[in-house]
Amino acid sequence: MLLRDGLTGLLTRFGHEVVAAVGDAEALVAAVREHVPDVVVTDVRMPPGFQDEGLHAAVRLREERPTLPVLVLSQYVQRAYAAGLLDSGDGTGVGYLLKDRVGQVEEFVDALAEVADGGTVVDPEVVRQLLRRRRDPLERLSPREREVLALIAEGRSNAAIAGELVVSEAAVGKHIGSILTKLDLPPATETHRRVLAVLTYLRA
């Protein structure tokens, strides 16, 4: 409530008309549908769960109206929904700022104006975490290890892989061990780790 009232007063002071100031995600969605605002400012965490309701609502609103400018404020980077928000529409008119990294009031107001005008404003820390998330997990594998993993994904046994690649089963075993290590798979039974490797391959 303090943050909401503070933002309302700040935006009014800088000449903006605040058409609604609401306290939960459902009320946010309803207010946007009613008032059709020029720009939306929302926190990630909102009642009732104080998890990612505000960010989820922002993604919903951008799905309904892809050109709706939305600026999200957060204490942390919620990578899954942040990626969805930044990918929504054509990627314009969207912002994601970390609250403790906004150093000046003018900096925030300028960011809001840029988002409202169709620009994109993203905190560098958000960019860094999203790039880390989207990095190809298979990039550390050698071409032969990728080939072995592809054959595992086809359901081949070690013997069948050895026959296909014309190498020994021992060599296949070494490749598989290297694959599991490079993919940072947790220690478990060999079969379980093999399944996790296949799932990583399919997702990539």
Side-chain angles (χ1 to χ4, degrees), residues 10-179:
L10 172 67
L11 294 173
T12 301
R13 179 157 59 91
F14 275 83
H16 297 285
E17 178 188 358
V18 179
V19 296
V22 299
D24 62 73
E26 288 304 316
L28 171 62
V29 172
V32 170
R33 289 171 178 168
E34 177 183 355
H35 296 285
V36 193
D38 297 318
V39 62
V40 172
V41 181
T42 183
D43 201 332
V44 165
R45 292 185 174 184
M46 298 183 77
F50 291 98
Q51 296 297 318
D52 54 15
E53 292 86 351
L55 186 51
H56 186 65
V59 173
R60 280 175 57 194
L61 290 168
R62 292 272 291 183
E63 289 172 350
E64 293 179 7
R65 184 180 152 196
T67 59
L68 173 69
V70 173
L71 176 60
V72 170
L73 297 173
S74 180
Q75 203 66 42
Y76 66 106
V77 181
Q78 218 307 343
R79 289 187 290 181
Y81 280 121
L85 177 68
L86 296 174
D87 287 339
S88 62
D90 58 1
T92 63
V94 65
Y96 196 117
L97 297 179
L98 299 179
K99 286 184 279 190
D100 60 356
R101 289 167 58 93
V102 178
Q104 302 290 333
V105 168
E106 290 79 7
E107 179 184 344
F108 167 74
V109 175
D110 289 346
L112 180 62
E114 186 169 345
V115 169
D117 287 339
T120 301
V121 179
V122 184
D123 189 285
E125 176 62 18
V126 177
V127 174
R128 187 183 70 80
Q129 292 205 31
L130 290 179
L131 286 175
R132 186 174 63 187
R133 174 180 179 267
R134 293 181 176 185
R135 186 177 298 148
D136 183 359
L138 305 182
E139 65 182 6
R140 288 178 287 177
L141 304 186
S142 69
R144 176 48 64 102
E145 288 166 351
R146 286 177 178 247
E147 195 174 7
V148 169
L149 184 53
L151 291 170
I152 293 173
E154 292 177 8
R156 308 284 189 94
S157 66
N158 285 15
I161 294 172
E164 176 76 19
L165 301 179
V166 195
V167 297
S168 67
E169 285 192 52
V172 172
K174 287 182 180 179
H175 285 311
I176 293 173
S178 178
I179 290 167

